[in-house]
Amino acid sequence: MANLHWLANPGRFLRIAKAVSPVLAGLTVVLLAVGLALSLQAPVDAVQGTPSKVLFMHVPSAWMSMFIWGVMAVASAVALIWKHPVADIAAKVSAPLGAGFTAATLLTGSLWGKPTWGTFWVWDARLTAELILLFLYIGYIAIWQAIEDPQRAGKAAAILALVGSVNLPIIHFSVDWWNTLHQPASILRDGGASIDASMLIPLLLLAAGFQAFYFTLLLWRMEAEIAGRKIRQLRLLSAQA
Amino acid sequence: MNALFDYLAMGGFAWFIWPAYAFTLGFMIWITVATVRSLRANRRTLEQLEQAAPHRQRRAQRAATGTAEVQAP
Amino acid sequence: MTRKQQRMTFVVAGLGALGIATALVLFALRDNIVFFYSPTEIVEQTVQVGDRNFRIGGLVENGSLQRVDANTITFIVTDMKHTVPVSYTGLVTSLFKEGQGVVAEGRLGPDGRFVASQVLAKHDETYMPAEVVDALKAAGEWKGN
């Protein structure tokens, strides 16, 4: 972690972010365009029929919903232990992205469940744990909005991010630990992926595109947040002068 | 044209598949627009403030990111 | 210990304690988190269901699905060890077939027949286009049904 120390300097971070973000943005556009085009052309599952198309939006969203909370938890630990201001900002600006992907996961899952399972919603362990993740995101965002002082807000939010990370293994393993209506994992499982290459390739391209999208937005939002804090301080200083 | 309509009908499941695509991609587009807008606005405001008071830049930067407490004058 | 090490110890110990506490709670609640029971648990009465609502899950036994009238079906749920007969009035999706997974909600009648108020089709984690399934079947390598 010590080698991350040099990134804690906001000036240096901003210079790197400005150099990297155009490359990431370009990569995002290419991956999403190719992934989307291939997903629309991909064949449908023999048993499920056309509703299996929802897979291409549901699975990458679900992965992002968990990945982003993971990033927030790691950034929060770094912020709490090493007092890195940039880590605090990374966690804060990630939350709306994670909340959006969690909402997308629940909504697309619902639209997938109705024509296949026969219901929009059931209270099984997987679905309930994902819904709890949405509430965790909302709580996290609410803390930042409710506490005015960024130092205190950051500390309280960081603790929630760490506590909430307990939910991540529960979401992932819920389908193995308990009887659920939700099927087990298709890709991250023993014995390799159980998805035919014609569907797996577009899915993985879209998943990579969603990842690149997150990191692009993360860099832009961090720059906007750092600039916003500078503006607040400059105004405070000129008011005091 | 009929082939296109058949495709869009998604075997009768269009109302499940296209809203799933629309919501997910719509969210991604919406948050991109909101992020770029606030980034541009903040960049512009910051530039104006820094031009108005260049000597306060470093203090504000340090204070903004919590690396040092603001000293009251 | 420096302040940094103190904070690190605090975070690691806190997460460890939280993890253990969560594991214990989940272990204590394991019966309540179960979404459905298997036919074996019902037949061998390892769970007491009484006349309350509960869910039963398993496979629709091959050759057991019968249409009683336009809206009512009967079938047998099996976990390959024990079976429970089910009757249901209502709609099912096209995924509901013999040999496929099913989760039914309802209550057990005095005659041992499960009267379902909702029947949900379960699907597995494999995704194969029809052509691939046909090719696998032709090659004799298809493991499903």
Side-chain angles (χ1 to χ4, degrees), chain B residues 22-48:
Chain B
F23 181 85
T24 309
L25 299 174
F27 157 71
M28 290 165 83
I29 292 167
W30 169 79
I31 200 162
T32 305
V33 170
T35 298
V36 169
R37 270 196 186 158
S38 82
L39 178 59
R40 285 198 179 140
N42 282 4
R43 270 183 186 164
R44 212 179 309 121
T45 315
L46 188 60
E47 219 166 277
Q48 286 164 357

Tab-separated table of all heavy atoms in Angstrom, chain B residues 22-48:
chain	number	residue	atom	x	y	z
B	22	ALA	N	-33.173	-0.684	-21.975
B	22	ALA	CA	-33.382	0.763	-21.902
B	22	ALA	C	-33.022	1.307	-20.529
B	22	ALA	O	-32.363	2.340	-20.411
B	22	ALA	CB	-34.832	1.101	-22.243
B	23	PHE	N	-33.422	0.599	-19.460
B	23	PHE	CA	-33.143	1.115	-18.120
B	23	PHE	C	-31.644	1.131	-17.850
B	23	PHE	O	-31.087	2.126	-17.380
B	23	PHE	CB	-33.866	0.296	-17.047
B	23	PHE	CG	-33.620	0.828	-15.659
B	23	PHE	CD1	-34.401	1.861	-15.160
B	23	PHE	CD2	-32.590	0.332	-14.876
B	23	PHE	CE1	-34.159	2.381	-13.892
B	23	PHE	CE2	-32.341	0.844	-13.612
B	23	PHE	CZ	-33.132	1.867	-13.119
B	24	THR	N	-30.977	0.013	-18.144
B	24	THR	CA	-29.551	-0.089	-17.838
B	24	THR	C	-28.747	0.942	-18.635
B	24	THR	O	-27.963	1.714	-18.071
B	24	THR	CB	-29.049	-1.509	-18.153
B	24	THR	OG1	-29.918	-2.448	-17.519
B	24	THR	CG2	-27.640	-1.718	-17.649
B	25	LEU	N	-28.961	0.961	-19.965
B	25	LEU	CA	-28.194	1.902	-20.796
B	25	LEU	C	-28.633	3.339	-20.515
B	25	LEU	O	-27.805	4.253	-20.524
B	25	LEU	CB	-28.362	1.544	-22.273
B	25	LEU	CG	-27.857	0.137	-22.630
B	25	LEU	CD1	-28.181	-0.199	-24.073
B	25	LEU	CD2	-26.355	0.018	-22.392
B	26	GLY	N	-29.922	3.537	-20.242
B	26	GLY	CA	-30.424	4.874	-19.924
B	26	GLY	C	-29.763	5.427	-18.669
B	26	GLY	O	-29.358	6.590	-18.629
B	27	PHE	N	-29.629	4.573	-17.655
B	27	PHE	CA	-28.937	5.012	-16.431
B	27	PHE	C	-27.502	5.416	-16.742
B	27	PHE	O	-27.014	6.457	-16.276
B	27	PHE	CB	-28.958	3.906	-15.372
B	27	PHE	CG	-27.859	4.050	-14.355
B	27	PHE	CD1	-27.914	5.085	-13.426
B	27	PHE	CD2	-26.764	3.199	-14.334
B	27	PHE	CE1	-26.886	5.255	-12.500
B	27	PHE	CE2	-25.745	3.366	-13.431
B	27	PHE	CZ	-25.800	4.392	-12.504
B	28	MET	N	-26.812	4.588	-17.558
B	28	MET	CA	-25.404	4.869	-17.854
B	28	MET	C	-25.264	6.194	-18.618
B	28	MET	O	-24.354	6.983	-18.339
B	28	MET	CB	-24.795	3.698	-18.646
B	28	MET	CG	-24.636	2.437	-17.791
B	28	MET	SD	-24.326	0.941	-18.746
B	28	MET	CE	-22.558	1.068	-18.998
B	29	ILE	N	-26.179	6.432	-19.546
B	29	ILE	CA	-26.116	7.695	-20.305
B	29	ILE	C	-26.439	8.879	-19.391
B	29	ILE	O	-25.736	9.888	-19.383
B	29	ILE	CB	-27.078	7.637	-21.516
B	29	ILE	CG1	-26.562	6.611	-22.531
B	29	ILE	CG2	-27.222	9.013	-22.165
B	29	ILE	CD1	-27.564	6.230	-23.593
B	30	TRP	N	-27.489	8.722	-18.571
B	30	TRP	CA	-27.898	9.816	-17.687
B	30	TRP	C	-26.774	10.221	-16.732
B	30	TRP	O	-26.468	11.410	-16.578
B	30	TRP	CB	-29.150	9.396	-16.891
B	30	TRP	CG	-29.460	10.356	-15.786
B	30	TRP	CD1	-30.082	11.569	-15.911
B	30	TRP	CD2	-29.134	10.214	-14.398
B	30	TRP	NE1	-30.165	12.183	-14.678
B	30	TRP	CE2	-29.590	11.374	-13.737
B	30	TRP	CE3	-28.490	9.208	-13.656
B	30	TRP	CZ2	-29.429	11.555	-12.359
B	30	TRP	CZ3	-28.336	9.400	-12.289
B	30	TRP	CH2	-28.804	10.562	-11.666
B	31	ILE	N	-26.127	9.228	-16.104
B	31	ILE	CA	-25.105	9.583	-15.112
B	31	ILE	C	-23.861	10.132	-15.813
B	31	ILE	O	-23.140	10.972	-15.255
B	31	ILE	CB	-24.771	8.388	-14.173
B	31	ILE	CG1	-24.118	8.917	-12.897
B	31	ILE	CG2	-23.910	7.341	-14.833
B	31	ILE	CD1	-24.128	7.968	-11.736
B	32	THR	N	-23.608	9.703	-17.060
B	32	THR	CA	-22.486	10.285	-17.819
B	32	THR	C	-22.745	11.764	-18.091
B	32	THR	O	-21.871	12.607	-17.862
B	32	THR	CB	-22.299	9.536	-19.158
B	32	THR	OG1	-22.138	8.142	-18.881
B	32	THR	CG2	-21.073	10.041	-19.893
B	33	VAL	N	-23.957	12.079	-18.553
B	33	VAL	CA	-24.294	13.476	-18.846
B	33	VAL	C	-24.188	14.313	-17.566
B	33	VAL	O	-23.563	15.387	-17.560
B	33	VAL	CB	-25.710	13.565	-19.459
B	33	VAL	CG1	-26.171	15.015	-19.540
B	33	VAL	CG2	-25.731	12.916	-20.836
B	34	ALA	N	-24.745	13.819	-16.459
B	34	ALA	CA	-24.715	14.569	-15.197
B	34	ALA	C	-23.273	14.790	-14.735
B	34	ALA	O	-22.918	15.886	-14.285
B	34	ALA	CB	-25.507	13.808	-14.132
B	35	THR	N	-22.430	13.752	-14.876
B	35	THR	CA	-21.038	13.857	-14.436
B	35	THR	C	-20.275	14.871	-15.289
B	35	THR	O	-19.584	15.737	-14.754
B	35	THR	CB	-20.360	12.476	-14.522
B	35	THR	OG1	-21.040	11.578	-13.647
B	35	THR	CG2	-18.902	12.549	-14.131
B	36	VAL	N	-20.410	14.773	-16.613
B	36	VAL	CA	-19.670	15.680	-17.504
B	36	VAL	C	-20.120	17.117	-17.271
B	36	VAL	O	-19.295	18.035	-17.246
B	36	VAL	CB	-19.859	15.246	-18.977
B	36	VAL	CG1	-19.330	16.309	-19.924
B	36	VAL	CG2	-19.148	13.917	-19.217
B	37	ARG	N	-21.417	17.311	-17.061
B	37	ARG	CA	-21.921	18.674	-16.810
B	37	ARG	C	-21.301	19.271	-15.554
B	37	ARG	O	-20.823	20.405	-15.563
B	37	ARG	CB	-23.438	18.640	-16.646
B	37	ARG	CG	-24.135	18.826	-17.955
B	37	ARG	CD	-25.582	19.171	-17.725
B	37	ARG	NE	-26.273	19.203	-18.995
B	37	ARG	CZ	-27.581	19.069	-19.126
B	37	ARG	NH1	-28.336	18.889	-18.061
B	37	ARG	NH2	-28.141	19.119	-20.317
B	38	SER	N	-21.313	18.503	-14.452
B	38	SER	CA	-20.792	19.068	-13.198
B	38	SER	C	-19.284	19.240	-13.293
B	38	SER	O	-18.725	20.191	-12.747
B	38	SER	CB	-21.190	18.196	-12.010
B	38	SER	OG	-20.323	17.105	-11.884
B	39	LEU	N	-18.616	18.330	-14.027
B	39	LEU	CA	-17.160	18.469	-14.191
B	39	LEU	C	-16.836	19.765	-14.937
B	39	LEU	O	-15.974	20.534	-14.520
B	39	LEU	CB	-16.604	17.255	-14.939
B	39	LEU	CG	-15.110	17.263	-15.242
B	39	LEU	CD1	-14.292	17.358	-13.965
B	39	LEU	CD2	-14.699	16.015	-16.019
B	40	ARG	N	-17.559	20.008	-16.037
B	40	ARG	CA	-17.301	21.223	-16.821
B	40	ARG	C	-17.599	22.478	-16.011
B	40	ARG	O	-16.821	23.431	-16.015
B	40	ARG	CB	-18.149	21.215	-18.093
B	40	ARG	CG	-17.594	20.256	-19.117
B	40	ARG	CD	-18.130	20.551	-20.500
B	40	ARG	NE	-17.561	19.622	-21.454
B	40	ARG	CZ	-18.252	19.069	-22.444
B	40	ARG	NH1	-19.522	19.358	-22.598
B	40	ARG	NH2	-17.670	18.238	-23.277
B	41	ALA	N	-18.736	22.469	-15.313
B	41	ALA	CA	-19.123	23.641	-14.518
B	41	ALA	C	-18.079	23.914	-13.441
B	41	ALA	O	-17.665	25.060	-13.241
B	41	ALA	CB	-20.496	23.415	-13.900
B	42	ASN	N	-17.633	22.862	-12.737
B	42	ASN	CA	-16.656	23.046	-11.665
B	42	ASN	C	-15.316	23.528	-12.209
B	42	ASN	O	-14.662	24.372	-11.594
B	42	ASN	CB	-16.470	21.748	-10.881
B	42	ASN	CG	-17.618	21.512	-9.915
B	42	ASN	OD1	-18.580	22.284	-9.899
B	42	ASN	ND2	-17.526	20.462	-9.130
B	43	ARG	N	-14.898	22.948	-13.359
B	43	ARG	CA	-13.631	23.389	-13.954
B	43	ARG	C	-13.688	24.891	-14.253
B	43	ARG	O	-12.750	25.624	-13.967
B	43	ARG	CB	-13.387	22.634	-15.270
B	43	ARG	CG	-12.617	21.341	-15.101
B	43	ARG	CD	-12.380	20.730	-16.473
B	43	ARG	NE	-11.763	19.409	-16.386
B	43	ARG	CZ	-11.728	18.551	-17.402
B	43	ARG	NH1	-12.290	18.876	-18.561
B	43	ARG	NH2	-11.149	17.390	-17.279
B	44	ARG	N	-14.830	25.341	-14.840
B	44	ARG	CA	-14.965	26.738	-15.234
B	44	ARG	C	-14.950	27.647	-14.002
B	44	ARG	O	-14.199	28.619	-13.940
B	44	ARG	CB	-16.263	26.923	-16.025
B	44	ARG	CG	-16.173	28.007	-17.087
B	44	ARG	CD	-17.481	28.134	-17.869
B	44	ARG	NE	-17.964	26.861	-18.392
B	44	ARG	CZ	-19.141	26.327	-18.101
B	44	ARG	NH1	-19.965	26.935	-17.274
B	44	ARG	NH2	-19.503	25.183	-18.638
B	45	THR	N	-15.768	27.293	-13.005
B	45	THR	CA	-15.841	28.109	-11.789
B	45	THR	C	-14.477	28.204	-11.112
B	45	THR	O	-14.053	29.280	-10.684
B	45	THR	CB	-16.847	27.502	-10.799
B	45	THR	OG1	-18.009	27.136	-11.520
B	45	THR	CG2	-17.195	28.466	-9.692
B	46	LEU	N	-13.789	27.052	-11.036
B	46	LEU	CA	-12.492	27.028	-10.358
B	46	LEU	C	-11.494	27.929	-11.077
B	46	LEU	O	-10.752	28.688	-10.443
B	46	LEU	CB	-11.978	25.587	-10.307
B	46	LEU	CG	-10.732	25.356	-9.462
B	46	LEU	CD1	-11.000	25.744	-8.014
B	46	LEU	CD2	-10.292	23.903	-9.544
B	47	GLU	N	-11.500	27.868	-12.397
B	47	GLU	CA	-10.591	28.701	-13.186
B	47	GLU	C	-10.829	30.190	-12.893
B	47	GLU	O	-9.894	30.946	-12.673
B	47	GLU	CB	-10.827	28.442	-14.675
B	47	GLU	CG	-9.561	28.405	-15.509
B	47	GLU	CD	-9.847	27.816	-16.882
B	47	GLU	OE1	-9.870	26.574	-16.997
B	47	GLU	OE2	-10.096	28.608	-17.800
B	48	GLN	N	-12.126	30.571	-12.873
B	48	GLN	CA	-12.462	31.981	-12.608
B	48	GLN	C	-11.983	32.402	-11.221
B	48	GLN	O	-11.384	33.459	-11.051
B	48	GLN	CB	-13.973	32.186	-12.719
B	48	GLN	CG	-14.478	32.167	-14.159
B	48	GLN	CD	-15.978	31.980	-14.248
B	48	GLN	OE1	-16.645	31.813	-13.217
B	48	GLN	NE2	-16.508	31.992	-15.460
